[in-house]
């Protein structure tokens, strides 16, 4: 018996399973179960019936069409960029990767608002760059939604493609050319097949992310009458006239759709995954662009302007305007909206404060719980290990809005009402914990897996007991993963829109719901000041942590 | 402190990592487990350490029964009071050299004169000036010395070493090997040393245990293992062996001599003489390694003091006393 396994007590496994059941598994199961019930009876085809009966086919088709188009557009945007930064003389500019993370780290609803403010009548473009207004009809339509979502999501597929390209070593390609393959032939027969499996995974992930995305459809989609799963689920569960059954049915259809896609992804992954066997030669082939560099730079510049420049320009200028829509003139400039947020007593400052401490609480709980789960996963084995592993990462696979519906069903059910979490502010922290738990689990697990067993064995031979090993060896070594998990949970909790919007008790605002409502009601400068503040706070935290980690890394590890 | 392994077995699923083994290591003896990769050396060592549980048998350290299947005794690793040195050093990256070494004392709450004892251990491995460094700020050899200091700081009576030198380059290895042997002597340690390097095993051990597929094949001092291998496997695994077609050998008997026992001069009247063809000559500095062909089936290696002409025919003499007859099929 490997003694690592002796270190896990059965009670720990039971606790882990119980926690996962209550937090994640039962709520999701309730969504699924509900949707198969038609008037109290179980029907296997019930979700499909729901779609047909309630005329939800349009929603289904809309969602799939959007997801598919976004996959195509992100690929078209990302593939050339990946080639440029992986295989050409621009590869040495590592900062490009960092900058490309900015759109990815921007909450989609905020980026979308930036674009709407830019394009809408009397918007930023009209007052400052009148030329852009010719695109207005195009923007306020399906293609606008696709564009905004693609600019938000392309960095993901970019990194996937780039990482696989980087793996392809020089010798693989050189062998191709020595044996008579020209550039096009090598692309087709060597590079594309090797990139294919990684790409497919990335593409399917984008597909699911688009299906599950709420921010952009809720801001831009609703305005142009393009309805998808998430907006409809939100409408049926939160807006009058409420039809919770229909909302649940839609949620389960979304869930099933995503499950099917994940299943396809698993099939693809197992069938087409190549490991590029590393030889000695780890260099990569560089294609020298020469004069063509100009076009590469131009491409990068245009991308950055569209993905980062436009939305942030709109948000920042809007947040500094006294009255929105009057143009950005000397008399119309103010910091008052920011002052308001920090002044205290205002609605905005209360919302900000709510978000801060709920996120702090959620991040702390998620860190502890996620670490516990990760340790249990690593130290258990067989079926139970797989079960805990998959369950604790479930919130990453299941669309957020489905989990939220599940949480409402569960915590608002007659059994759980006495616990009185629902309808209090704590349900928000709980929602964040459930939704973002996978980050800590993944980071700590990855961290833990890098620790060689011999470090624990050495401690054991030195006379250390289980508790002492955990405290002096295990804990310090997984601390980086725990901190990363905390930060990530904190950052995305502050910005979480759909969860906060759907599950908050009446009268409670968080920064995200505040932004959403101000935007809806036309109080644009206030909303945008809040948007910049949350983006600013999260950015500062990330920078501080990066710094701290770099200096810390010089001593330990 | 002696080690007695009595009827210990260990399987992993369908792999018999260690088959039923009986082995006694005397107090203050330095014993080496030698064998090819996967033969169960590490597993046997970890069984002694308590990092694996045997399927059966008994393990006694000194007069302390630490494992017995029959009596259901299982003393965990942390209570066996051993020192152990790992192949990959296993230093904790977040602790300084001082804290790495002090770990065993702190873990056992044995912190009297802590600093003094840690410095004593570091002094033994000549690393006193390095207390505040982190492992990654040390060279490989220094790291391994720290891990040795960590193993001896609690003044154990037994030390287990799992290929402690194999991650280091050749020059460092010789120096550290001498240091290990000197220190284990000086501290009166019983040592079990694992390696797959026969030269290391020869030079450091009082006794060598040759293993294959979880079985102990031979368990004798280095000279005996080299000169009188008890099986074809040992003969082939350790050093080079030449097999002579002798009359009067029974089936499954093989007559073996070592390369340095092939001579160009006749010393005794009853020396055997063979005319052989020289097929290749390599100069090794202190001698010539010569490949000789008696016939197309019989190729020998000889270490000769002077050069012979390639493609020439020479006469080779073998003293009868040097011939060692091995029982067993060619694969055993
Ligand atoms: N934890 C384990 N689980 C399953 N099989 C194992 C485990 N540990 C060892 N084995 C198997 O037991 C056999 C003996 O392994 P062991 O590590 O003792 O060999 P070794 O002689 O130390 O080899 P090496 O020189 O490569 O270190 C091998 O076949 C190995 O695959
Ligand atoms: Mg080994």
């Amino acid at each position: 018996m490997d003694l690592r396994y002796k270190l896990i007590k059965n009670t720990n496994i039971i606790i882990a399973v119980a926690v996962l059941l209550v937090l994640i598994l039962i709520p999701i199961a309730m969504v699924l179960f509900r949707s198969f019930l038609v008037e109290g009876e179980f029907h296997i085809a019930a979700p499909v019936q729901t779609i047909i009966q309630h005329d939800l086919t349009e929603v289904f088709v809309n969602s799939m069409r959007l997801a598919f188009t976004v996959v195509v557009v992100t690929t078209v945007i990302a593939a050339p960029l990946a080639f440029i930064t992986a295989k050409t003389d621009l590869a040495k500019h590592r900062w490009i990767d960092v900058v490309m993370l900015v759109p990815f780290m921007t909450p989609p609803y905020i980026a979308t608002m930036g674009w709407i403010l830019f394009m809408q009548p009397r918007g930023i473009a009209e007052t400052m760059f009148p030329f852009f207004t010719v695109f207005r009809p195009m923007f306020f339509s399906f293609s606008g939604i696709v564009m905004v979502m693609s600019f938000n999501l392309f960095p993901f597929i970019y990194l996937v493609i780039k990482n696989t390209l980087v793996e392809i070593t020089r010798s693989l390609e050189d062998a191709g050319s020595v044996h008579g393959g020209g550039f096009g032939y090598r692309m087709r027969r060597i590079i594309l097949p090797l990139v294919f499996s990684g790409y497919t995974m990335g593409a399917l992930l984008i597909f699911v992310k688009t299906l599950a995305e709420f921010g952009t459809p809720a801001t831009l989609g609703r305005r142009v009458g393009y309805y998808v799963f998430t907006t409809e689920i939100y409408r049926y569960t939160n807006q009058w006239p409420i039809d919770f059954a229909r909302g649940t049915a839609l949620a389960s259809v979304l869930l099933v759709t995503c499950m099917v896609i994940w299943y396809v992804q698993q099939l693809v992954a197992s069938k087409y995954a190549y490991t590029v066997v590393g030889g000695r030669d780890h260099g990569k082939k560089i294609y020298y662009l020469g004069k063509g560099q100009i076009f590469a730079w131009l491409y990068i510049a245009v991308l950055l302007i569209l993905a980062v420049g436009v939305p942030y320009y709109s948000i920042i200028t809007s947040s500094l305007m006294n009255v929105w829509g009057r143009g950005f003139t000397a008399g119309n400039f103010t910091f008052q909206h920011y002052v308001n947020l920090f002044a205290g007593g205002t609605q905005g400052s209360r919302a900000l404060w709510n978000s801060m401490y709920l996120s702090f609480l959620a991040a702390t709980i998620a860190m502890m719980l996620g670490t516990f789960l990760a340790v249990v996963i690593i130290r258990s084995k067989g079926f139970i290990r797989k079960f805990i592993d998959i369950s604790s990462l479930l919130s990453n696979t299941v669309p957020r809005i489905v989990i939220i519906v599940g949480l409402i069903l569960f915590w608002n059910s007659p059994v759980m009402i006495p616990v009185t979490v629902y309808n209090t502010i704590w349900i928000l922290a709980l929602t964040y914990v459930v939704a973002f738990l996978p980050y800590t689990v993944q980071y700590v697990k990855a961290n833990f897996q890098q620790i060689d067993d011999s470090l624990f064995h050495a401690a054991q031979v030195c006379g250390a007991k289980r508790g002492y090993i955990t405290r002096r060896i295990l804990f310090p070594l997984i601390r980086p993963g725990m901190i990363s998990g905390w930060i990530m949970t904190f950052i995305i909790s502050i910005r979480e829109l759909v969860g906060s919007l759907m599950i908050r008790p009446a009268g409670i605002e968080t920064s995200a719901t505040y932004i959403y409502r101000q935007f809806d009601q036309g109080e644009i400068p206030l909303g945008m000041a809040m948007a910049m503040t949350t983006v600013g706070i999260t950015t500062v935290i990330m920078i501080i942590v990066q710094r701290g980690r770099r200096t810390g890394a010089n001593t330990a590890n | 402190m002696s080690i007695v392994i009595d009827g210990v077995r260990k399987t992993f699923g369908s792999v018999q990592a260690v088959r039923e083994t009986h082995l006694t290591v005397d107090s203050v003896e330095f014993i080496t487990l030698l064998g090819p990769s996967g033969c169960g050396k590490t597993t046997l060592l970890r069984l002694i350490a308590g990092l694996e549980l045997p399927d059966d048998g008994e393990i006694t350290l000194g007069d302390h029964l630490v494992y017995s299947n029959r009596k259901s005794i299982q003393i965990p690793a942390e209570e066996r009071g051993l020192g152990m040195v790992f192949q990959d050093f296993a230093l904790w990256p977040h602790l300084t050299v001082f804290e790495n070494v002090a770990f065993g004392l702190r873990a056992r709450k044995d912190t009297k004169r802590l600093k003094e004892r840690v410095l004593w251990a570091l002094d033994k491995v000549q690393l006193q000036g390095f207390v505040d460094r982190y492992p990654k700020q040390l060279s490989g050899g220094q790291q391994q010395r720290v891990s040795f200091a960590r193993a001896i700081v609690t003044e154990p009576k037994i030390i287990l070493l799992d290929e402690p030198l194999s991650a280091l380059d050749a020059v460092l290895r010789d120096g550290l090997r001498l240091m290990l042997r000197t220190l284990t002597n000086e501290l009166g340690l019983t040592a079990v040393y694992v390696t797959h390097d026969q030269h290391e095993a020869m030079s450091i051990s009082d006794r060598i245990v040759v293993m294959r597929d979880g079985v102990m094949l031979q368990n004798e001092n280095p000279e005996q293992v080299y000169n009188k291998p008890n099986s074809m496997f040992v003969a082939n695994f350790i050093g080079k062996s030449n097999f002579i077609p002798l009359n009067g050998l029974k089936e499954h008997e093989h007559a073996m001599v070592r390369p340095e026992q092939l001579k160009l001069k006749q010393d005794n009247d009853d020396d055997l003489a063979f005319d052989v063809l020289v097929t290749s000559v390599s100069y090794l500095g202190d001698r010539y390694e010569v490949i000789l062909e008696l016939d197309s089936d019989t190729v020998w290696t000889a270490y000769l003091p002077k050069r012979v002409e390639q493609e020439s025919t020479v006469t080779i003499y073998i003293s009868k006393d040097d011939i060692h007859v091995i029982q067993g099929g060619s694969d055993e």
Side-chain angles (χ1 to χ4, degrees), chain B residues 75-266:
Chain B
I75 306 291
E78 59 264 30
E79 288 165 26
R80 292 194 184 183
L82 307 170
M84 187 160 179
V85 178
F86 293 79
Q87 181 172 11
D88 61 357
F89 318 144
L91 295 180
W92 300 297
H94 61 296
L95 299 180
T96 59
V97 166
F98 186 92
E99 285 303 326
N100 262 286
V101 176
F103 187 92
L105 297 172
R106 292 198 200 280
R108 296 195 171 96
K109 301 212 166 58
D110 178 15
T111 50
K112 244 188 316 158
R113 299 187 300 116
L114 178 93
K115 186 165 182 204
E116 196 182 319
R117 289 156 78 190
V118 171
L119 293 181
W120 167 82
L122 283 170
D123 188 41
K124 285 284 169 224
V125 296
Q126 291 150 28
L127 276 179
Q128 260 206 329
F130 293 81
V131 284
D132 289 328
R133 301 242 196 138
Y134 283 91
K136 70 160 193 189
Q137 297 168 317
L138 301 177
S139 71
Q142 290 167 338
Q143 291 185 18
Q144 196 54 295
R145 272 145 64 195
V146 174
S147 96
F148 191 71
R150 177 175 72 184
I152 60 172
V153 74
T154 51
E155 296 171 58
K157 292 278 164 261
I158 296 173
I159 188 165
L160 309 173
L161 306 109
D162 189 0
E163 308 206 24
L165 306 181
S166 68
L168 305 173
D169 61 48
V171 183
L172 268 178
R173 236 183 267 175
D174 291 343
L176 263 179
R177 193 181 60 214
L178 278 175
M179 179 169 160
L180 284 183
R181 184 66 231 241
T182 319
L183 279 175
T184 47
N185 267 1
E186 185 187 324
L187 301 172
L189 291 169
T190 308
V192 183
Y193 187 96
V194 163
T195 182
H196 59 252
D197 180 330
Q198 45 168 307
H199 298 293
E200 215 170 277
M202 296 282 180
S203 56
I204 205 170
S205 325
D206 295 328
R207 190 142 61 93
I208 294 178
V209 173
V210 185
M211 294 181 66
R212 187 184 66 162
D213 293 340
V215 178
M216 286 176 23
L217 293 177
Q218 192 161 4
N219 173 9
E220 278 174 302
N221 69 33
E223 290 81 359
Q224 284 163 320
V225 169
Y226 184 75
N227 290 321
K228 306 255 181 277
N230 65 0
S231 62
M232 287 296 278
F233 176 80
V234 177
N236 284 320
F237 185 70
I238 291 168
K240 292 194 166 133
S241 16
N242 302 310
F243 294 99
I244 332 169
L246 274 191
N247 294 327
L249 280 180
K250 298 198 196 73
E251 204 184 349
H252 297 313
E253 277 188 345
H254 305 270
M256 180 207 84
V257 291
R258 294 296 187 184
E260 63 279 4
Q261 291 161 339
L262 302 183
K263 300 170 298 184
L264 288 170
K265 282 204 309 266
Q266 186 169 21

Side-chain angles (χ1 to χ4, degrees), chain A residues 383-434:
Chain A
F383 171 76
I384 203 76
R385 174 187 175 129
K386 237 192 179 132
F387 178 80
I388 298 176
D389 198 0
I390 291 177
S391 313
S392 53
L393 298 180
L394 210 53
S395 314
N396 254 3
T397 14
V398 172
R400 179 97 32 87
I401 199 162
V402 175
I403 295 194
I404 310 281
V405 172
L407 288 175
I408 296 174
L409 284 174
F410 179 67
W411 292 96
N412 200 20
S413 67
V415 188
M416 295 311 285
I417 285 285
V419 186
T420 57
V421 171
Y422 198 70
N423 261 328
T424 70
I425 195 162
W426 308 119
I427 188 76
L428 281 167
L430 186 125
T431 305
Y432 300 152
V433 170
V434 173

Side-chain angles (χ1 to χ4, degrees), chain A residues 1 3 455 460 472 553, chain B residues 10 51-52 78 92 94 136:
Chain A
M1 190 196 333
L3 285 231
L455 293 187
Q460 221 185 334
R472 292 265 339 255
Chain B
K10 179 67 182 174
L51 293 171
E52 303 280 1
E78 59 264 30
W92 300 297
H94 61 296
K136 70 160 193 189

